């Protein structure tokens, strides 16, 4: 079966729970979910499908088998040696992401709802960059994480150079990239590369997603937009967008439900996002 004939579900599968959680799994288990052309395309396609589904309130992305994602498929390195690699996708760009390798992680950063990466085994190179694209990373203590690209004479070109410096100190980001240092989950949490460590990252990610999904989807979507702006837009623009968001929320059915449920000390029942 050629890459062109491989179906999305041969690389990435997902289900949506009754709570509105998109449970996304990379399923190329025999290759530790390594990134080939089909995996890139599957990540983008699935991400776009989920982003367009207003019933989704949170996303958990994980990898089947022994690893979250071991990075670039070695077949692509061979293709680079021969100059046969395809550098840029013909897809419509996702926001500022132009190349396929950028779109595959950026589709998760651009997701209108929170994305949680449940990371175990290995998250190397492009796999690490997919994890960086999530809002929150829950990582097994024994996980090995690294931006390995300089080992192969490359740079982290799947949005990694831009995302990493927003998570760790800039000097730490430079050290990680320059040296392709491998860190375990404990060290990743200490430096800010991981949000939390857990012996059961997938279970904890799903539990956190369920908690997020229990909140007003309108408020959560606005909160994601605003926190993504922080440090990337001017303070004035951030303040302005806070006011836009609060005016969009006050008095809406879900906001009224939040107040009513809180005052009544009962669980809120929120309507799905309606665009």
């Amino acid at each position: 079966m050629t890459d062109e004939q491989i179906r999305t579900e041969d690389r990435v599968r997902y289900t949506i729970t009754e709570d509105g959680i998109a449970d996304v799994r990379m399923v190329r288990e025999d290759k530790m979910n390594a990134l080939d052309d089909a995996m890139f395309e599957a990540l983008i396609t699935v991400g776009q499908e989920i982003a367009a589904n207003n019933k989704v309130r949170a996303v958990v992305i994980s990898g089947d088998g022994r690893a979250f994602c071991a990075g670039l498929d070695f077949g692509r390195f061979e293709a680079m040696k021969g100059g046969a690699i395809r550098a840029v996708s013909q897809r419509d760009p996702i926001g500022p992401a132009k190349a396929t390798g950028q779109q595959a992680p950026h589709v998760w950063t651009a997701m209108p709802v929170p994305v949680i990466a449940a990371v175990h085994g290995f998250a190397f190179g492009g796999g690490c960059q997919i994890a960086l694209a999530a809002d929150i990373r829950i990582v097994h203590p024994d996980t090995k994480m690294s931006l390995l690209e300089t080992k192969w004479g490359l740079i982290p070109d799947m949005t990694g150079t831009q995302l990493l410096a927003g998570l760790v100190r800039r000097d730490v980001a430079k050290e990680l990239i320059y040296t392709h240092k491998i860190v375990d989950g404990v060290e990743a949490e200490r430096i800010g590369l991981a949000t939390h460590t857990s012996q059961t990252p997938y279970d904890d990610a799903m539990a956190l997603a369920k908690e997020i999904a229990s909140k007003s989807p309108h408020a959560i979507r606005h909160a994601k937009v605003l926190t993504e702006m922080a440090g990337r837009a001017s303070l004035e623009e951030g303040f302005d967008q806070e006011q836009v968001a609060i005016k969009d929320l006050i008095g809406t059915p879900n906001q009224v439900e939040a107040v009513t449920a809180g005052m009544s000390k009962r669980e809120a029942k929120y309507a799905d996002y309606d665009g």
Side-chain angles (χ1 to χ4, degrees):
M1 187 179 286
T2 67
D3 278 355
E4 288 72 18
Q5 294 171 318
I6 292 172
R7 302 165 300 169
T8 295
E9 58 266 30
D10 291 322
R11 289 291 186 264
V12 179
R13 297 176 192 157
Y14 74 98
T15 57
I16 298 174
T17 70
E18 291 182 358
D19 300 315
I21 300 166
D23 184 357
V24 181
R25 291 172 180 257
M26 292 175 280
V27 294
R28 198 183 182 204
E29 185 176 342
D30 59 323
K31 299 289 187 181
M32 292 197 292
N33 301 312
L35 299 161
D36 60 358
D37 287 345
M39 180 70 88
F40 282 124
E41 291 294 328
L43 285 164
I44 297 166
T45 296
V46 167
Q48 290 177 323
E49 287 178 8
I50 292 171
N53 188 333
N54 286 344
K55 293 186 179 298
V56 173
R57 300 189 181 189
V59 177
V60 172
I61 185 167
S62 62
D64 275 357
R66 296 186 294 126
F68 176 76
C69 176
L72 204 61
D73 189 285
F74 275 104
R76 289 180 64 90
F77 287 115
E78 290 298 321
M80 286 177 194
K81 285 170 58 179
I85 208 75
R86 289 183 293 170
V88 180
S89 171
Q90 298 302 309
R91 283 176 171 272
D92 291 334
I94 298 169
K98 300 298 190 292
T100 301
Q102 291 177 323
Q103 293 182 53
H106 187 67
V107 71
W108 307 103
T109 302
M111 189 69 59
V113 299
V115 178
I116 305 166
V119 186
H120 75 288
F122 302 99
F124 285 162
C128 187
Q129 291 174 82
I130 291 168
L132 297 183
D135 297 276
I136 296 166
R137 283 154 298 286
I138 301 180
V139 177
H140 192 281
D142 295 335
T143 300
K144 299 294 185 286
M145 302 181 73
S146 178
L147 294 164
L148 282 175
E149 283 78 7
T150 55
K151 178 178 181 178
W152 309 110
L154 303 169
I155 51 94
D157 66 328
M158 290 174 56
T159 74
T161 60
Q162 303 305 297
L163 293 176
L164 186 61
L167 298 173
V168 304
R169 287 193 341 233
R170 188 172 295 269
D171 59 329
V172 174
K174 290 177 178 180
E175 179 186 24
L176 291 172
I177 291 171
Y178 296 165
T179 66
H180 53 82
K181 178 181 179 181
I182 296 173
V183 299
D184 63 18
V186 175
E187 176 73 356
E189 182 182 25
R190 187 187 71 80
I191 64 178
L193 196 60
T195 312
H196 305 294
T197 54
S198 167
Q199 294 291 336
T200 54
Y202 172 78
D203 291 344
D204 285 1
M206 289 297 289
L208 178 56
K210 185 173 183 177
E211 180 181 353
I212 292 169
S214 73
K215 315 302 182 188
S216 166
H218 293 72
I220 293 295
R221 285 175 179 243
H222 275 298
K224 175 158 182 175
V225 169
L226 289 165
T227 52
E228 281 295 314
M229 285 180 64
R232 297 185 175 102
S234 69
L235 196 58
E236 181 179 7
E237 185 178 355
F239 286 166
D240 287 345
Q241 288 306 307
E242 278 188 354
Q243 292 304 300
V244 169
I246 205 69
K247 289 174 183 175
D248 281 349
L249 292 169
I250 290 175
T252 59
N254 274 349
Q255 195 269 322
V256 171
E257 170 64 6
V259 174
T260 303
M263 296 292 287
S264 302
K265 297 183 180 180
R266 63 168 174 81
E267 185 178 345
K269 298 184 183 302
Y270 296 112
D272 291 332
Y273 181 74
D274 55 12

